[in-house]
Amino acid sequence: MSYTTTSYGTWCNRVSPYSTSPDSDLGDYIGGADSSWLERVQASGALGEMEHAYRAAIEEALPPSVSLCGDEFIGPAYPEDDEFDGYPTDDYGSLDFKAMLEDISLEEIVDRYDPMTLEEIGRWEMESKAKEPAKVAAAAMSRAGLKPYTYLPHPESGRPQAIYLKGDVREALAKRPGRGKRTDLKDAE
């Protein structure tokens, strides 16, 4: 089936008047962070993952026949009468894109794709008190079968340093033995 599409407006005039695109909003959101973390986000490719995840969340929130193409919302020129039922509308009866997207959390997206070193995994995610928490984290990641997302030069030594994404790390750590319901106990009935 073929139908005519039209523009429903741009990101700037339908969602965020001071921004040109979701990518720009994400950049503004993380822009005030520590400069070394921002460099790691850029160099590791995690920024691209964050942008992709944000755009995927936007697409999920939109009606199936509407898409965000670049910075422009595109959809059917002549939608069916009930095609947008259940989606918020503005005072003029048009789709309210800002309202559709308000539940998307940039904080959760950034947290999920936060690039972490083994040292950070050991200290923050595993809360290791070991003298070298990076070794504890390396062993845990190896046992979990989680490969690094990428490698970046260590800021001091220049040697390759494994980088993992926080969401992957948390999923791997949650699956470790002893982290779920115990299965070795008999029912005490």
Side-chain angles (χ1 to χ4, degrees), residues 40 114 116 119-128 166:
R40 187 187 314 163
D114 181 4
M116 303 184 77
E119 177 77 17
E120 293 164 344
I121 293 168
R123 285 198 192 284
W124 300 338
E125 296 303 313
M126 299 180 70
E127 298 178 355
S128 174
K166 187 185 280 187

Side-chain angles (χ1 to χ4, degrees), residues 11 18-29 51 54-55:
W11 185 263
Y18 302 106
S19 174
T20 57
S21 70
D23 302 339
S24 177
D25 279 2
L26 179 63
D28 290 345
Y29 182 80
E51 291 170 345
Y54 188 27
R55 284 182 174 270

Side-chain angles (χ1 to χ4, degrees), residues 9-144:
T10 64
W11 185 263
C12 178
N13 66 19
R14 297 307 301 261
V15 177
S16 182
Y18 302 106
S19 174
T20 57
S21 70
D23 302 339
S24 177
D25 279 2
L26 179 63
D28 290 345
Y29 182 80
I30 65 173
D34 176 68
S35 62
S36 61
W37 179 81
L38 287 171
E39 288 174 20
R40 187 187 314 163
V41 167
Q42 273 285 34
S44 68
L47 180 60
E49 296 288 347
M50 292 173 190
E51 291 170 345
H52 177 75
Y54 188 27
R55 284 182 174 270
I58 291 166
E59 287 295 326
E60 182 71 25
L62 297 174
S65 59
V66 177
S67 288
L68 178 64
C69 302
D71 71 341
E72 191 169 12
F73 293 98
I74 303 292
Y78 309 103
E80 299 292 324
D81 288 341
D82 62 348
E83 192 164 351
F84 301 140
D85 285 356
Y87 289 93
T89 56
D90 61 19
D91 295 337
Y92 305 103
S94 299
L95 286 172
D96 187 341
F97 290 91
K98 187 173 186 173
M100 280 187 267
L101 307 179
E102 68 186 7
D103 290 338
I104 297 173
S105 171
L106 281 175
E107 180 179 358
E108 290 175 11
I109 291 170
V110 169
D111 190 55
R112 165 75 180 90
Y113 295 98
D114 181 4
M116 303 184 77
T117 65
L118 287 169
E119 177 77 17
E120 293 164 344
I121 293 168
R123 285 198 192 284
W124 300 338
E125 296 303 313
M126 299 180 70
E127 298 178 355
S128 174
K129 305 295 183 216
K131 185 176 181 180
E132 296 184 44
K135 288 185 178 182
V136 173
M141 295 301 98
S142 177
R143 281 192 303 276

